[in-house]
Amino acid sequence: MHDDRSLVEGRLRRVLDERIRPAVYPEAVPLEVTVWHAPDEPVPVAEGLAARGEPIGAGERWGAPWGTSWFRVSGAVPQEWAGRTVEALLDLGFEAQMPGFQCEGLVYRPDGTPVKGLHPQNQWVRIGTPVTGGEEVRLHIEAASNPVVLGYPPFRPTPLGDKETAGREPQYTLGRMELAVFDEPVWQLVLDLEVLGELMAELPVESARRWEILRAVERALDTVDLQDVGGTARRARACLTDVLAAPATPSAHRISAVGHAHIDSAWLWPLRETVRKVARTAANMTALIDDEPDFVFAMSQAQQWAWVKEHRPEVWARVKKAVAGGRFVPAGGMWVEADTNMPGSEAMARQFVHGKRFFLDEFGVDNEEVWLPDTFGFAAGLPQIIRAAGARYLLTQKISWSRTNKFPHHTFRWEGIDGTRVFTHFPPVDTYNCAMRGAELAHAARNFREKGRARHSLAPTGFGDGGGGTTREMVARAARLRDLEGSPAVTWETPAAFFARAEAEYPDPPVWAGELYLELHRATLTSQAGTKRGNRRCEHLLREAELWAATAAVRTGFPYPYEELDRLWKTVLLHQFHDILPGSSIAWVHREARQTYARVARELEEIIGAAQRAPAGEGTRELVFNSAPHSRNGIPAGGAGTVRPAGRPAEPSPRPGGGFVLDNGLLRVEIDARGLVVSAHDLAADRETIAPGRAANLLQLHPDFPNMWDAWDVDEFYRNTVTDLTDADEVTVADDGVSVRVVRSFGASRVTQLLTLAPGERRLVIDTEADWHETEKFLKLAFPLDLHTERYASETQFGHFFRPTHANTSWDAAKFEACNHRFVHLAEPGWGVALVNDSTYGHDVTRTVRTCPDAGTTTTVRVSLLRAPRFPDPGTDQGVHRFRHALVPGADIGDAVREGWRLNLPERRLTGGRQVAPLVTVDQDAVVVTAVKLADDGSGDVVVRFHEAHGGRARATLTAGFPVSAVTATDLLERPLADTAAPRLEGDRITVRLRPFQLMTLRLRRA
């Protein structure tokens, strides 16, 4: 037989595009359209419905950037259409290939009832099936003219990312606004041919199944009358019945389809627009659930559910009904799909506390799965947080974006720093916007790494980011793929059902230990320094507010600010979303974030001040409050008292050759005439910190123009070019008389530093103020250390973990930029160095050959300070920034932990009448208390959360500073742990034993 395969396949493409798809709507009449443009921000629905508009027609421009326009469409169904299915086709000017990144609309009936969302792949509204003819049609559309920020070519700087700079030029051209007959047999034929054509293209050319499909498609195309597609569609479909009925092979891969719309809580749009994106999508999906009995939709991010409840009560009512029916599923159990690298320990815990509690309170649903398809890597401390929240499973897709190494598993157990493991799945379909296309499903089956041991995977199905979610076409494709020869078998299923099935099938999967590092988007650890500083500051202020409010409540009856703290926590958690905290959103988002952090900080400072004054009472004594988890200058952790003056910091003395020397008897620091630290000598250990011939506190400037994803990425070639900023405008004694002041100018920027050596401490504090006005540059602060070490420790949630300093393997080399929280620690046996910070996360560590005859290697730590990408925010990081770092020679890991907390929680001073005893004390420095608070249920119980922080076993005694009648070990939601024995309570003392990095939460009932 002659090979006519290409001929038939080409014929299929053309006939579908030019004849069959257009015949889905064979008859149409125009609708009358008026439009009213809201003057500024979105208006209430009632106001939009009542507004009087001006006529507008297809082809006319509308919609200033970030504007809202209310369209009213009206018409009548022709009498001759009686008995047929009719739909309104409402095209706002969509670009079909960009769902979620352009204009969107929500359709309402005249009484304000929401109907469904409008999106590029979902422009129809059902009028009747069948109609009687003559029906009056009137619909209102709340249309958002969100500009296309990520256009083509992509990653070009644009002013469209902020309403303040976007201008007023109309963005869209109105498309067809019509009533049309919907020919369902033709639509079904389109789906038959699409599914078979896509399947055929994925089968081997030599496969008999491919040729069977080809011949059936050919017969169907022969049957279709191209001048009467509607009249011949059913006969054409009959030609395909047999090939569509052939069952899948018993060994076929099994795919659990989960309806989904991954909606970034902010990204190329502001938070206020996400509120509306979620409402449009929820309206769409509840409508689809009503039409499709097998369809299941999962929505994550409790914050987004809360927005629907607050802002769109009519949509919320439909959502609640669909949840009760088990078809609209709360997923993930987190407040938002947060970044997991940078949030602190308590913040990461509270993501689950607030997310799970919302779903429990509203629906009685206790999620066991964590749903994070798009997060930029996963910190090594996360597994035990997941388990401590009562969850068991994790799903993400993003690791498939890694550029260097292909992750070896799709289903596995992930082990965290304390040994906790969670059952984890990476969908091999490699997208969280699956459209049920043949190429996607074939890729999932081929790509699945667990073949021979397991055969189930999950496919999040639907357009995200305001693209409207799952479409009826996707559901129709899935129905054809339920049991089809040559294809994976597809079933709609909830995430919980998938994980239960997958775990039962594969009870002993491989184990991956340590962080799940994304080999991409490394610059998100540095971009938008102001956002990151705001997050870090507010995390610590929240700790202080809870600690002192609980102390005041127990000691004096101070009214604990439950509602205020709940609201402020949720605000901070929202801004940890994986495009806000990572710095990858538009300018509008980060402008608002900085304002929000400032407001949150002001409120928390007021709570802290009032809570500290209550137990301190009236008086004239200067009291020092210590919020850190370790004692400081004689003040216990969580207490307040008076301290003896510690003396003045070491005063600078002239250094031969220029510069200054700081010497406090423990540490001798030499700062040369360039303002660089050329020596930091640990006098007790007689050990030099700085690598021979090198200088620390060295600012280094790199060009920074990645191949793509400007705010997200830093590519390794940035290291090829570096400028050491060694020229100083000033190296002088500061006005305080105890600090060395260093000023440098470069480009259009200026950096001022203060170097201070505190009395009685081996800690050189470096305060940096950068007035930054560079473009596409990367600023680092380097510390070459005279240490030979093959690994170093980075703090993460509830502990730390080790990364290599070498690049032996491609996996090691790919981690050329990594995340830490408050410290990194490097050590040789018996002696180490900590570098602590108050607001930075990105860093790199490299090894260098010593520049002296005895050879060997030294290790350089470089802190990432600032970047200047131009997309999506052209003004990223422009302006003044402040950082505080401390170099701590002679530090062991315990010193690193303690100094990190101290730098981030400075002492507070207040005039009062009495000392304040801690609510809880711990007799073991390795056990770090991260939260002291009152229980969320208002019972007055005191909740204490702590963990082992040094990486070893610990036995500790907690002593309560108030009468305790009972103690209970709980999960993060403060619920008793059924499988954990209560710690023994003897009087006011509780003894606990912890394994390395173990997290524990205790609930203390007040007697």
Side-chain angles (χ1 to χ4, degrees):
M1 179 183 288
H2 297 295
D3 185 353
D4 62 348
R5 177 178 53 82
S6 298
L7 187 67
V8 176
E9 291 171 355
R11 179 188 179 193
L12 172 62
R13 286 190 294 272
R14 184 175 185 192
V15 171
L16 265 175
D17 286 344
E18 298 184 23
R19 293 292 186 271
I20 302 180
R21 288 194 185 99
V24 171
Y25 293 103
E27 300 177 56
V29 295
L31 288 162
E32 293 184 4
V33 188
T34 64
V35 64
W36 173 74
H37 304 294
D40 188 25
E41 283 294 282
V43 299
V45 172
E47 184 177 344
L49 295 175
R52 298 178 62 86
E54 300 293 329
I56 186 173
E60 294 187 48
R61 301 284 287 172
W62 71 277
W66 305 114
T68 298
S69 300
W70 282 85
F71 292 92
R72 179 164 59 186
V73 299
S74 57
V77 176
Q79 289 289 348
E80 58 268 27
W81 289 0
R84 305 173 79 178
T85 297
V86 174
E87 294 180 346
L89 302 181
L90 307 173
D91 181 1
L92 298 176
F94 296 120
E95 165 56 53
Q97 303 308 313
M98 296 180 63
F101 297 91
Q102 52 181 297
C103 58
E104 302 168 36
L106 181 56
V107 180
Y108 293 88
R109 295 189 179 92
D111 64 359
T113 303
V115 181
K116 66 190 294 283
L118 293 179
H119 310 278
Q121 299 288 343
N122 204 327
Q123 302 177 25
W124 58 272
V125 174
R126 181 67 54 88
I127 301 302
T129 178
V131 296
T132 59
E135 291 95 333
E136 292 294 323
V137 175
R138 183 175 167 189
L139 298 170
H140 298 258
I141 307 167
E142 181 191 20
S145 50
N146 301 332
V148 177
V149 176
L150 184 63
Y152 185 82
F155 311 115
R156 295 297 193 267
T158 172
L160 292 173
D162 196 332
K163 188 173 69 169
E164 295 182 352
T165 59
R168 301 295 299 169
E169 184 70 22
Q171 298 291 292
Y172 295 100
T173 301
L174 195 67
R176 66 178 181 176
M177 307 292 270
E178 299 173 338
L179 286 179
V181 172
F182 175 70
D183 193 327
E184 184 169 356
V186 175
W187 182 79
Q188 297 284 5
L189 177 60
V190 170
L191 271 297
D192 289 346
L193 291 170
E194 284 182 348
V195 167
L196 289 171
E198 291 168 6
L199 173 60
M200 181 170 59
E202 297 301 321
L203 295 171
V205 173
E206 64 274 13
S207 162
R209 174 66 170 161
R210 179 163 182 162
W211 289 89
E212 289 172 359
I213 294 172
L214 185 81
R215 293 304 162 215
V217 167
E218 184 178 40
R219 290 192 295 272
L221 295 176
D222 289 342
T223 303
V224 171
D225 183 342
L226 299 186
Q227 277 67 53
D228 185 17
V229 175
T232 55
R234 284 186 171 87
R235 284 190 287 124
R237 290 194 71 203
C239 298
L240 305 173
T241 300
D242 289 344
V243 289
L244 284 168
T249 62
S251 61
H253 186 65
R254 307 287 170 174
I255 291 179
S256 296
V258 178
H260 187 53
H262 171 73
I263 301 178
D264 287 305
S265 290
W267 180 26
L268 303 180
W269 46 86
L271 288 167
R272 69 92 152 138
E273 192 55 35
T274 314
V275 174
R276 303 200 295 175
K277 284 177 177 281
V278 174
R280 296 177 199 121
T281 298
N284 241 21
M285 294 301 92
T286 51
L288 190 61
I289 284 170
D290 289 341
D291 294 340
E292 301 290 348
D294 294 332
F295 175 61
V296 176
F297 181 77
M299 189 167 94
S300 64
Q301 307 192 72
Q303 170 69 87
Q304 296 188 359
W305 292 70
W307 280 332
V308 177
K309 180 181 180 181
E310 178 183 357
H311 296 281
R312 290 291 191 270
E314 302 88 353
V315 177
W316 179 250
R318 288 165 51 175
V319 166
K320 289 191 71 173
K321 179 183 175 182
V323 172
R327 310 268 306 286
F328 199 113
V329 182
M334 295 176 68
W335 190 246
V336 294
E337 289 182 12
D339 177 82
T340 77
N341 284 313
M342 290 175 283
S345 302
E346 271 304 306
M348 200 74 254
R350 304 302 174 93
Q351 286 286 351
F352 291 93
V353 169
H354 287 283
K356 294 197 71 171
R357 188 167 287 143
F358 181 89
F359 292 142
L360 281 164
D361 291 347
E362 296 292 338
F363 308 112
V365 172
D366 191 357
N367 298 92
E368 287 196 310
E369 79 285 344
V370 178
W371 185 275
L372 289 170
D374 190 32
T375 298
F376 309 151
F378 298 85
L382 189 57
Q384 75 163 328
I385 301 174
I386 291 172
R387 294 305 294 266
R392 301 173 55 196
Y393 307 115
L394 170 67
L395 177 137
T396 187
Q397 180 271 322
K398 200 68 170 188
I399 299 299
S400 70
W401 286 40
S402 285
R403 289 256 181 93
T404 305
N405 299 284
K406 186 175 179 63
F407 196 81
H409 314 299
H410 283 108
T411 303
F412 60 100
R413 292 199 189 276
W414 179 29
E415 181 179 304
I417 56 175
D418 76 318
T420 297
R421 295 177 178 180
V422 293
F423 189 85
T424 303
H425 181 66
F426 294 172
V429 71
D430 281 350
T431 177
Y432 41 81
N433 297 302
C434 178
M436 284 289 123
R437 293 290 185 181
E440 294 172 329
L441 304 187
H443 174 75
R446 287 193 298 265
N447 188 39
F448 190 51
R449 304 291 288 246
E450 320 308 318
K451 288 190 283 284
R453 297 184 181 274
R455 58 178 182 151
H456 281 86
S457 71
L458 185 146
T461 302
F463 295 121
D465 284 334
T470 316
T471 66
R472 62 183 176 184
E473 288 78 15
M474 296 174 194
V475 176
R477 291 187 194 110
R480 290 159 172 80
L481 297 165
R482 177 183 291 274
D483 190 16
L484 183 62
E485 183 184 354
S487 169
V490 177
T491 304
W492 292 106
E493 202 163 34
T494 66
F498 162 75
F499 274 112
R501 185 189 307 276
E503 189 174 33
E505 172 188 68
Y506 201 17
D508 191 25
V511 175
W512 180 274
E515 67 180 327
L516 294 170
Y517 180 92
L518 178 64
E519 297 170 353
L520 193 74
H521 292 358
R522 302 167 181 89
T524 58
L525 303 173
T526 305
S527 297
Q528 297 287 359
T531 299
K532 291 171 171 58
R533 184 172 187 81
N535 172 75
R536 177 79 70 86
R537 184 184 179 209
C538 288
E539 284 184 351
H540 287 94
L541 288 172
L542 280 161
R543 169 198 169 85
E544 291 189 87
E546 288 184 336
L547 169 66
W548 299 119
T551 302
V554 173
R555 296 274 182 258
T556 71
F558 178 83
Y560 191 80
Y562 291 102
E563 293 183 1
E564 292 90 337
L565 288 172
D566 180 79
R567 173 176 51 81
L568 293 169
W569 261 117
K570 288 174 179 175
T571 300
V572 173
L573 297 178
L574 165 60
H575 287 79
Q576 291 177 340
F577 178 75
H578 65 252
D579 276 307
I580 304 179
L581 180 55
S584 45
S585 289
I586 56 173
W588 188 347
V589 173
H590 291 290
R591 171 172 55 80
E592 288 191 333
R594 290 189 294 272
Q595 295 166 354
T596 299
Y597 284 131
R599 173 181 55 78
V600 168
R602 286 194 300 270
E603 288 193 57
L604 289 170
E605 290 284 5
E606 291 176 3
I607 293 172
I608 293 166
Q612 289 179 334
R613 284 191 294 273
E618 298 294 329
T620 58
R621 299 169 61 185
E622 184 182 60
L623 298 174
V624 175
F625 284 76
N626 178 19
S627 304
H630 304 92
S631 62
R632 175 163 49 189
N633 296 329
I635 306 297
T642 57
V643 296
R644 296 175 181 174
R648 285 171 58 81
E651 295 185 2
S653 59
R655 174 181 177 271
F660 297 93
V661 175
L662 298 172
D663 189 334
N664 65 359
L666 298 175
L667 190 63
R668 186 176 189 275
V669 176
E670 294 188 32
I671 302 162
D672 71 7
R674 302 169 298 172
L676 303 178
V677 176
V678 293
S679 175
H681 197 81
D682 179 349
L683 298 175
D686 190 22
R687 177 72 186 257
E688 177 55 55
T689 306
I690 309 303
R694 305 287 300 280
N697 190 41
L698 173 65
L699 290 167
Q700 295 184 302
L701 193 65
H702 296 270
D704 184 19
F705 191 64
N707 289 346
M708 58 192 304
W709 297 108
D710 296 42
W712 295 257
D713 281 1
V714 55
D715 290 333
E716 192 172 13
F717 55 73
Y718 87 91
R719 290 178 170 179
N720 296 349
T721 306
V722 60
T723 301
D724 291 345
L725 303 177
T726 57
D727 293 337
D729 302 345
E730 299 178 31
V731 180
T732 60
V733 177
D735 291 342
D736 62 10
V738 296
S739 302
V740 175
R741 183 171 186 265
V742 181
V743 181
R744 304 184 196 281
S745 299
F746 54 94
S749 302
R750 177 183 173 96
V751 173
T752 302
Q753 293 182 304
L754 295 177
L755 286 73
T756 310
L757 187 57
E761 297 182 6
R762 291 176 300 182
R763 180 179 62 176
L764 176 67
V765 176
I766 302 170
D767 288 296
T768 302
E769 179 181 282
D771 189 3
W772 177 250
H773 297 283
E774 303 309 300
T775 299
E776 293 168 351
K777 294 289 192 295
F778 195 7
L779 185 65
K780 291 262 187 176
L781 182 62
F783 295 86
L785 306 175
D786 195 9
L787 281 167
H788 171 78
T789 179
E790 295 182 354
R791 66 176 192 171
Y792 72 99
S794 287
E795 189 186 32
T796 188
Q797 292 99 0
F798 297 112
H800 60 268
F801 70 106
F802 294 95
R803 294 190 184 95
T805 60
H806 56 71
N808 281 1
T809 70
S810 59
W811 296 85
D812 302 330
K815 296 180 181 180
F816 59 82
E817 184 80 5
C819 181
N820 69 286
H821 286 191
R822 284 170 291 246
F823 71 81
V824 294
H825 180 258
L826 304 91
E828 295 174 359
W831 194 82
V833 177
L835 183 62
V836 301
N837 73 82
D838 74 341
S839 60
T840 57
Y841 297 92
H843 68 277
D844 69 88
V845 178
T846 54
R847 301 201 303 170
T848 306
V849 176
R850 289 165 60 93
T851 57
C852 57
D854 60 348
T857 59
T858 61
T859 308
T860 298
V861 181
R862 298 198 308 160
V863 177
S864 302
L865 295 181
L866 291 164
R867 300 184 67 235
R870 300 181 65 206
F871 182 88
D873 176 4
T876 301
D877 281 335
Q878 301 299 298
V880 176
H881 302 271
R882 293 176 178 85
F883 310 95
R884 172 169 281 194
H885 294 84
L887 183 68
V888 190
D892 60 20
I893 197 70
D895 296 322
V897 172
R898 183 179 61 254
E899 294 296 341
W901 280 103
R902 287 184 176 181
L903 196 74
N904 283 269
L905 286 167
E907 299 171 339
R908 290 178 179 269
R909 295 177 182 270
L910 185 73
T911 300
R914 55 183 175 267
Q915 298 190 40
V916 181
L919 281 189
V920 177
T921 58
V922 183
D923 68 349
Q924 164 65 272
D925 262 7
V927 176
V928 169
V929 175
T930 59
V932 177
K933 59 190 288 293
L934 294 194
D936 291 341
D937 61 7
S939 63
D941 292 353
V942 175
V943 172
V944 184
R945 187 151 34 248
F946 52 91
H947 69 286
E948 196 288 319
H950 293 182
R953 302 275 171 170
R955 180 183 184 277
T957 299
L958 278 72
T959 302
F962 56 92
V964 177
S965 62
V967 59
T968 306
T970 74
D971 66 5
L972 294 178
L973 278 72
E974 300 167 11
R975 303 174 296 190
L977 293 172
D979 57 350
T980 302
R984 186 173 178 180
L985 175 64
E986 296 180 351
D988 59 357
R989 296 159 63 86
I990 306 159
T991 300
V992 296
R993 295 180 184 273
L994 300 176
R995 64 179 181 273
F997 301 126
Q998 183 182 353
L999 165 65
M1000 184 175 288
T1001 304
L1002 296 182
R1003 182 173 181 142
L1004 311 181
R1005 184 180 305 161
R1006 293 156 60 189

